[in-house]
Amino acid sequence: ADADAMDRARARQAQLTKPAGALGDLEDLAVRLAGVLGSERPDPRGVAVIVAAGDHGVARAGVSAYPSEVTPAMVANFLADTPAGPGGAAVNALARTVGARVYVMDAGVNADLPEHPALVRAALRRGTHDLSVQPAMSLDEVQALILSGAALARRAIEDGADVLIPGEMGIGNTTPAAAITARLLGLDAAQVTGRGTGVDDARLAHKVTVIRMALDRTPTTDPLEVLAQFGGFEIAAMLGVMLQAAAMRRAVILDGFVEGSAALIGVTLAPHLRDSLFPAGQCAEIGHAAQLTHLGLKPMFHLNLRLGEGTGGVLAAPILLGAAATLREMRTFAEAGVPGSGSEE
Amino acid sequence: ADADAMDRARARQAQLTKPAGALGDLEDLAVRLAGVLGSERPDPRGVAVIVAAGDHGVARAGVSAYPSEVTPAMVANFLADTPAGPGGAAVNALARTVGARVYVMDAGVNADLPEHPALVRAALRRGTHDLSVQPAMSLDEVQALILSGAALARRAIEDGADVLIPGEMGIGNTTPAAAITARLLGLDAAQVTGRGTGVDDARLAHKVTVIRMALDRTPTTDPLEVLAQFGGFEIAAMLGVMLQAAAMRRAVILDGFVEGSAALIGVTLAPHLRDSLFPAGQCAEIGHAAQLTHLGLKPMFHLNLRLGEGTGGVLAAPILLGAAATLREMRTFAEAGVPGSGSEE
């Protein structure tokens, strides 16, 4: 981040027509965004959410309440023509509300997806291998999907986005996210494994067992190797989005637990990535809190979302844009002729 | 609220393309909004923030870190021409970000305010009496300001708002808010008195003493009498906004502690008002949590805002609009051809 811009932002913030600290967490968000965008009056243009979809071999092991067929059906839903506009999923409805553009990527869905001009095709295979018995992906596959995510991030930035939201769809993908989180944070599977789309107690216990099987296969802690062993195509693509956005000095709003697993890989590879990350909400998955603690970043809300798709990130965008607007557009005490605090002057 | 519309909203929500409950608190927000607007596909038009400003006789008792001169200066700031558009205060910057319209009312500021076409003049006097030694307002004054707030709410609704955000500016006004909250919730002044714009420990102790003096003057628990005894002109105006919005079946986003004190008066007068209230954030004032507990409503975020002006309400508007959009625009499983949950069907 641009430390000079952050210093200038703090100096400007101290002069704005409000009591010191009265905008609470917005003040830190605004200063961090000033650092990312390199301006004490940050003026982000558009917001883009990039929804990467992929399937998971481990879904056959019964770790989700939903069948893998939901993944391609939801990709079609992201792209569908509806009376309200393109896309009939939650992320589409929320994106329309806040004026965010939605990009959809097939990162490795287990189906023949219909041709659609708005679908970015990056699939190498129809889903990963079952991480409980073998590496989910090869390192070459991981690299290819990182590059595909990066390319789509560049396109979104060229299209006008300064705030990028990686999102995901993939039945079973809280299992790879939990495995990655457990390994990179040195935690037991049970500490980071939640109910995903809503499994019952018995299936939750089974999910923990499946994740332990994966973790027991290999002791690797190398971040790209961890991603290949335990991850998913859409997780690699989201990592590419994050790294590219950070490299081009754009902000990344970090949605839920699966996105968080990509971020953990990312900050292990490139610690400066953290500067560009703005967590949206604390999601309902239990491993998410551990991720945020490790990143040392505070979420903007606690709405108990657990849908994915980038939905939380989209909902958080106006908060981040609002923080920027206060720093950019508010007048100073001097400009407004407002008397300062009697106790502080 | 319209219980039939809420039932239809719940039935529709259960069919939408997401796991049950995966949108977390958004789901309850959407159903409640369906009840207010009377439609299972709530489609709120615009958002308006009504900033009422007033001064307080008690400010002379030294309960604030800022002098009363800040109130008229901030009113001028709300109305100022700036390069970004009208208004150089935080609420203006945030309202521009989310597309909310700002209305500014002089409810009783202690100054000659300059003529401005966008300033709504409703002042009867230049500030209240000092609540620690006498009633802040007469009942007639309270009634007049409620009507002025109601009239401005009607105008905002006629201008296109279906979501109204009462906001306030008034140096010293966390003192009347604390007195109202203490009396209506049966709490001691120390339990509901915070630092406002940022007083130090000594001034905080003095503020508690001042509030106790006020509470000791009269045992009244009649809501309008409590408002007259301890309140402020802008608090009465905000109450009028809330009651009118609820009567016209519009949603009210409830910002911070001072707004909350108006809401406590409101729900005591008219319990159904609660149905229309959507708390924005838990603010940093200690009495706010007690207000929300009494109202039985959960805030959307915890950003530690303590500025007032309706800023938190404006930031929360996209969350409420997003909740409405999911219920209104998402496709159902049947419409999208998405398989349901294997464990639930």
Side-chain angles (χ1 to χ4, degrees):
Chain A
D2 183 334
D4 285 345
M6 293 174 77
D7 286 343
R8 291 195 305 273
R10 283 190 200 93
R12 177 170 162 74
Q13 199 166 60
Q15 302 297 320
L16 299 177
T17 46
K18 61 174 190 54
L23 284 171
D25 298 351
L26 284 195
E27 301 196 4
D28 186 54
L29 289 172
V31 170
R32 293 189 63 228
L33 191 62
V36 173
L37 298 179
S39 167
E40 75 275 22
R41 298 180 85 149
D43 194 6
R45 300 169 303 156
V47 177
V49 52
I50 294 177
V51 188
D55 272 308
H56 297 268
V58 73
R60 288 190 301 275
V63 292
S64 176
Y66 286 81
S68 281
E69 287 73 23
V70 169
T71 307
M74 284 302 297
V75 171
N77 197 23
F78 296 142
L79 298 165
D81 285 325
T82 84
V91 69
N92 304 107
L94 295 173
R96 277 189 288 274
T97 301
V98 309
R101 190 158 170 171
V102 181
Y103 297 81
V104 183
M105 173 195 279
D106 174 9
V109 174
N110 184 21
D112 261 337
L113 293 170
E115 283 296 326
H116 193 291
L119 178 62
V120 177
R121 294 182 179 272
L124 303 172
R125 284 197 280 132
R126 291 185 168 188
T128 59
H129 301 302
D130 179 351
L131 76 162
S132 68
V133 294
Q134 70 185 108
M137 300 173 283
S138 70
L139 279 171
D140 283 349
E141 288 172 330
V142 164
Q143 298 277 15
L145 265 296
I146 291 173
L147 291 175
S148 294
L152 188 48
R154 275 197 304 281
R155 187 179 130 194
I157 292 167
E158 283 162 14
D159 287 347
D162 286 340
V163 175
L164 282 84
I165 304 164
E168 48 63 40
M169 174 68 218
I171 294 298
N173 69 8
T174 57
T175 293
I180 291 168
T181 303
R183 176 55 48 85
L184 291 183
L185 301 187
L187 298 171
D188 181 71
Q191 295 175 279
V192 295
T193 302
R195 294 178 189 276
T197 51
V199 299
D200 58 20
D201 286 350
R203 212 181 285 216
L204 178 62
H206 174 62
K207 187 174 169 184
V208 170
T209 301
V210 164
I211 293 166
R212 284 194 184 131
M213 286 173 63
L215 294 169
D216 288 346
R217 279 196 301 99
T218 165
T220 186
T221 57
D222 173 82
L224 288 181
E225 179 71 18
V226 166
L227 180 51
Q229 287 281 349
F230 309 133
F233 292 121
E234 78 278 35
I235 298 175
M238 290 195 293
L239 172 60
V241 171
M242 292 180 197
L243 293 171
Q244 184 71 41
M248 292 177 73
R249 308 183 63 84
R250 261 65 179 193
V252 174
I253 301 183
L254 192 59
D255 194 11
F257 181 57
V258 185
E259 290 81 355
S261 74
L264 291 184
I265 304 277
V267 297
T268 311
L269 285 168
H272 73 84
L273 171 63
R274 177 189 176 279
D275 294 341
S276 298
L277 299 177
F278 296 83
Q282 172 86 61
C283 84
E285 283 286 307
I286 63 165
H288 197 225
Q291 292 175 346
L292 294 180
T293 300
H294 180 79
L295 292 170
L297 296 170
K298 191 181 164 191
M300 298 182 224
F301 50 66
H302 294 66
L303 291 167
N304 297 307
L305 303 178
R306 53 181 176 81
L307 180 57
E309 302 179 3
T311 47
V314 175
L315 265 185
I319 297 176
L320 186 61
L321 298 179
T326 60
L327 192 51
R328 184 178 69 247
E329 298 186 0
M330 282 178 71
R331 295 204 298 177
T332 63
F333 279 105
E335 284 167 352
V338 174
S341 158
S343 66
E344 292 171 22
E345 292 191 340
Chain B
D2 182 334
D4 286 345
M6 293 175 77
D7 286 343
R8 291 195 305 274
R10 283 190 200 93
R12 176 169 163 74
Q13 198 166 59
Q15 302 297 321
L16 299 177
T17 46
K18 60 174 190 56
L23 283 171
D25 298 350
L26 284 195
E27 301 195 4
D28 185 54
L29 289 172
V31 170
R32 293 189 62 228
L33 190 61
V36 173
L37 299 180
S39 166
E40 75 274 24
R41 298 179 86 149
D43 194 6
R45 300 170 304 158
V47 177
V49 52
I50 294 177
V51 187
D55 272 308
H56 296 269
V58 72
R60 287 189 301 275
V63 291
S64 175
Y66 285 81
S68 282
E69 287 72 25
V70 169
T71 306
M74 285 302 297
V75 171
N77 198 22
F78 296 142
L79 299 165
D81 286 324
T82 83
V91 69
N92 304 108
L94 294 173
R96 277 190 288 273
T97 301
V98 309
R101 189 158 172 171
V102 181
Y103 298 79
V104 182
M105 174 194 279
D106 174 9
V109 175
N110 184 22
D112 260 337
L113 292 170
E115 283 297 327
H116 194 290
L119 178 62
V120 177
R121 293 181 179 273
L124 303 173
R125 281 196 282 130
R126 291 185 168 189
T128 59
H129 300 302
D130 180 351
L131 76 161
S132 68
V133 294
Q134 71 185 106
M137 300 172 285
S138 71
L139 279 171
D140 284 348
E141 289 172 329
V142 164
Q143 299 277 16
L145 265 296
I146 290 173
L147 292 176
S148 294
L152 188 48
R154 276 197 304 281
R155 187 179 131 194
I157 291 167
E158 283 163 14
D159 288 347
D162 286 338
V163 175
L164 282 86
I165 304 164
E168 48 62 40
M169 172 70 217
I171 293 298
N173 69 8
T174 58
T175 293
I180 291 168
T181 303
R183 176 55 47 85
L184 291 183
L185 301 187
L187 298 171
D188 181 71
Q191 295 174 279
V192 295
T193 303
R195 294 178 188 276
T197 50
V199 299
D200 59 20
D201 286 351
R203 213 180 286 214
L204 178 62
H206 174 62
K207 186 174 170 184
V208 170
T209 302
V210 164
I211 292 167
R212 283 193 185 129
M213 286 172 62
L215 294 169
D216 288 347
R217 279 197 300 100
T218 167
T220 186
T221 57
D222 173 82
L224 287 180
E225 178 71 18
V226 167
L227 179 52
Q229 286 282 351
F230 308 134
F233 293 121
E234 77 278 35
I235 297 174
M238 290 195 293
L239 172 60
V241 171
M242 292 179 197
L243 292 172
Q244 184 71 41
M248 292 177 73
R249 309 182 63 83
R250 262 67 179 192
V252 174
I253 302 183
L254 191 59
D255 195 11
F257 181 58
V258 185
E259 290 81 354
S261 74
L264 290 184
I265 303 278
V267 298
T268 311
L269 285 168
H272 73 85
L273 172 62
R274 177 191 176 281
D275 294 341
S276 298
L277 299 177
F278 296 82
Q282 171 85 62
C283 85
E285 282 287 308
I286 63 166
H288 196 224
Q291 293 174 344
L292 294 180
T293 300
H294 180 79
L295 292 170
L297 296 170
K298 191 182 164 192
M300 298 183 225
F301 51 67
H302 293 67
L303 290 167
N304 297 306
L305 303 179
R306 52 180 178 78
L307 180 56
E309 302 178 4
T311 47
V314 175
L315 265 186
I319 296 176
L320 186 61
L321 297 179
T326 60
L327 192 51
R328 183 177 70 248
E329 298 185 1
M330 282 177 71
R331 296 204 297 176
T332 63
F333 279 105
E335 285 168 350
V338 174
S341 160
S343 66
E344 291 171 24
E345 291 188 342

